[in-house]
Structures are given as structure tokens and as C-alpha cells.
Amino acid sequence: RSQSSGSSPADAMGGALGPISGFAGWFTVDFRSRTDEVGRGVAPEVQNPAYLSTGPEMGYTHWGQQVFHLPSPLPLLAGQTTRINGTLEMMRTKESARLYNVRFRYETSRRKTSSNGEGGVLMKGKSEELVYQIP
């Protein structure tokens, strides 16, 4: 695929975690028989499906992981919940189908942490857009 994107909110509670200064990314893939309409009956059947992950829990691979640093850290404060809501878009570069540029658009907000999770909004950050070139 030449372009892929996704959106999901993420909550972080203040406390001993410290600030958020970036995000890490990696990929996982499984190699198994195609069962979609295009592949079913046409693509070869994989006798021994395999799974590959470059996640940190899997140990060293030559692919490694990618770090996306934020221009300034997002503080996590005791008694408050910081929400990060945005999209991550991956685009293949024109120079190589194996290389990607990543666009991260996001907004942050902070609210008082309450037992029901519905504390009032204390702060809403401006919209941010960051572009990373993955080597």
C-alpha cells in the first residue's frame, strides 16, 4: 500500500511516569496463506505460517525500532490525565518503495483525573503536525 493512516486517542495518567518525549514504532507481520477473495484459490498455500515482529520484546533484529521525538516533552502531572488524540499517516517515498515518510497530527488536552474518568478539561493544546523521514 502506498499510504496508510490510523487514528486513536491515548490517555496517560500523571505520576511517576515522567514526561512523554516521543513515541516508538515497529512492525509485525505474519506470513500465511491469503484467504481474501483475490488470493483464495490463486495464491500458493503456505504450509508453515510464520510471524515476524521487530518489537522491543522480541530482542535484536537488523530492522530495529523507530523513535519519533516530540519537539518538546508533554508533562504528566499527578492527579491529571493527559490525552493525546491524532492521526499517524505513512507514505512511501518517491525514491524507494521501502522507505517511508510519517506525518503525525495531534492535539493534547489535560483534565483532572476522577474515579469516573469524566473530569473537566483543564487545558487544551493547539493542533500540531510533525513530519518524519524514516531512513
Side-chain angles (χ1 to χ4, degrees), residues 23-124:
F23 301 93
W26 55 88
F27 70 86
T28 57
V29 64
D30 58 29
F31 300 95
R32 57 187 172 145
S33 301
R34 287 188 62 175
T35 57
D36 62 341
E37 288 183 30
V38 175
R40 193 178 313 120
V42 179
E45 184 175 336
V46 176
Q47 297 300 318
N48 298 306
Y51 172 82
L52 169 67
S53 174
T54 63
E57 74 283 357
M58 300 304 290
Y60 176 79
T61 72
H62 71 280
W63 287 290
Q65 296 88 36
Q66 183 68 41
V67 177
F68 303 99
H69 292 281
L70 295 174
S72 58
L74 301 173
L76 300 180
L77 305 173
Q80 296 182 10
T81 300
T82 298
R83 170 161 283 180
I84 303 166
N85 191 12
T87 60
L88 182 73
E89 181 181 12
M90 296 179 62
M91 301 147 295
R92 291 180 195 250
T93 65
K94 293 175 185 171
E95 298 78 26
S96 173
R98 296 181 64 180
L99 301 176
Y100 285 85
N101 291 326
V102 175
R103 177 180 292 127
F104 180 41
R105 293 182 178 121
Y106 69 98
E107 294 178 343
T108 59
S109 62
R110 187 174 296 125
R111 61 183 162 81
K112 188 159 186 68
T113 302
S114 63
S115 58
N116 65 4
E118 297 298 323
V121 174
L122 302 171
M123 180 281 301
K124 184 169 176 148

